Amino acid sequence: MRGPTQILPTDRADEMLINMGPQHPATHGVLKVVIGLEGERVTRAVPHIGFLHRNHEKIEEARTYPQIITYTDRMDYVSGLQNELPFILAVEDLLGVEVPDRAKYLRVIFFELYRLASHLVWLGTGMLDFGAITPFLYTFRDRERILEIVEKTAGARMLPNYFTFGGVRRDVHPDFFKDVADFLDFFEKRLPDYYALVLDSPVFQARAVGVGVLPKERAIARGASGPVLRASGVAYDVRKAEPYDAYPEIEFEVPVREEGDVYARFWVRFKEMEESIKIIRQAIEKTPKVGPYKGKVPARMKVKGSRYRAVEISRGHLGAHVVGDGTDRPYRIKHRSPSFANLQLIPDLLVGARFADAIAILSSLDPVFGEVDR
Amino acid sequence: MSLLAEVWEAVRAIGQGMAAVNRRVGESAVTEFYPYQKPEIPPVSVQFLALIQNEDGSDRCVSCLACERACPSQVITIERKRNPAGKGFVLERFDLDFVNCMHCANCVEVCPVSAIVTVGDFEHAVYDVNMLKADKAFLDEIGRRAQVWYSPKFGVEIRKPDGSIEKAPPEMQPGGLAELLAGEEGA
Ligand code: SF4
Ligand code: SF4
């Protein structure tokens, strides 16, 4: 059988095929890209996925609603906590659960902390792909501080299983708000260093400006989302388009850039980190100091109906479609994951680029494979 | 001229990067002396699970099977029998397969009597995977060794040196904030 993604050995004498991945250090996770090269130029690029497939949606259909939250964490493991939210929001809507104010703000704080953590991982590993090792060491140290704050309250670092129907699982540690404020002050001082090392560095700019240009129409046609889409000039952010939790009460901007090249995608993520700092600051101020952290949830969850909810995770539009048939297990769950859609851009972006730029382009897409393969 | 400008640009870029790196040279370095100095683990951290016994050595667990039902990976196996002396059930078997446990703490959340708890005891790496299939004696032993543990029902609890169990001060509790704030207002 010859599928559309299968590549036969090339019959052209001037073309060379290279299998990049699935264990190549420059592919994030287990991506395999078959790249055809003509000298330095990429003539074709076909991504192969599925090395991390775990049958997520089917497993979830065999579990009860409270059990599923644990599994949703494991999709985009770099920003673990954020993945729980679309599923929880959908089920809350179906059950008509009220979320107390304090829980809404706590969710926003954790959500944005994970955005910072995830963008730090992206920045570190992305710069590794560019051949710069120093930022990796710095970003992971800063990320460690976020994870420590999260662990103090949520009990785990990467996959905390902390959000739940009606709010969050437990109240925050007494030091939480102080820790977060301290971290933000610290991180704000760090950001100029990252600008100096990466974004403002002419060495980086020489490799990123004008590379891997993604036109607006292409980005929309392929269903791209998140920073990739916003770097191509589309101001779409689920936090603004369909606000959830406490986002309507918080002021922030959506950074957009028109160029659509690697530099623009880096720029958008950098600005997003700044916005996250602003969002967390506002949320800390507005969080009611005391109050319930969890709303009333029926003890026996019998969900009926169908609902789609989406959130803006670090990589883009993550959605969950929950169909309940009135039993304690969902009839069907479908996750719409951003990296999977963004990965379709590989042939668009890579063909015609130089091979060295191909790696830069891949790292600017920032795919996480737990979520691509599910 | 343009070549000179490019060279200058490259030198400037390197200088800018080196300056950013230099700002960090003076920062305090941290070395963890791990086996000799244990890292501090927050009391709510889910590192391992344990069964807690009462001060008199009897099981806290009332064999209600709630944890068995709540576990997403279905790794808890409980067998119970009618309590010969009095009402309720007693445990015959409580197996927990840590090989497939995800440390999600769903079981801890549903336990009505805080018998199964999370502990910060993380040194359980073993050479043989079968060693991770824990039975009741093993879980009890971890529970007896634990000095602090957490469960949503009772919060963080600590074992005093004389063996008695009590609730930890609000500084250690998640949600201790309300208590602390109330205390401040009262004072
Ligand atoms: S921690 Fe989670 S996976 Fe492990 S036994 Fe408890 S419920 Fe099951
Ligand atoms: S939920 Fe608690 S009391 Fe019930 S069987 Fe499990 S450990 Fe025992």
Side-chain angles (χ1 to χ4, degrees), chain B residues 126-145:
Chain B
V126 287
Y127 288 104
D128 181 4
V129 96
N130 288 319
M131 304 262 294
L132 282 173
K133 295 194 172 141
D135 58 0
K136 180 166 179 302
F138 183 74
L139 292 167
D140 281 342
E141 179 55 36
I142 299 171
R144 275 195 291 274
R145 269 208 315 232

Side-chain angles (χ1 to χ4, degrees), chain A residues 89 92 97-104 107 165-167 245 293 295:
Chain A
L89 288 174
E92 275 171 2
V97 171
E98 281 287 320
V99 183
D101 269 358
R102 186 173 156 84
K104 284 185 180 172
R107 276 184 186 177
F165 306 117
D245 284 344
Y293 55 90

Side-chain angles (χ1 to χ4, degrees), chain A residues 63 151 155 169 190 193, chain B residues 23-24 27 45-46 72 109:
Chain A
R63 298 286 184 271
E151 188 188 12
R169 256 171 229 271
R190 289 282 181 150
D193 278 2
Chain B
R23 276 198 285 281
R24 307 222 171 172
E27 275 177 13
S45 184
V46 187
E109 193 172 304

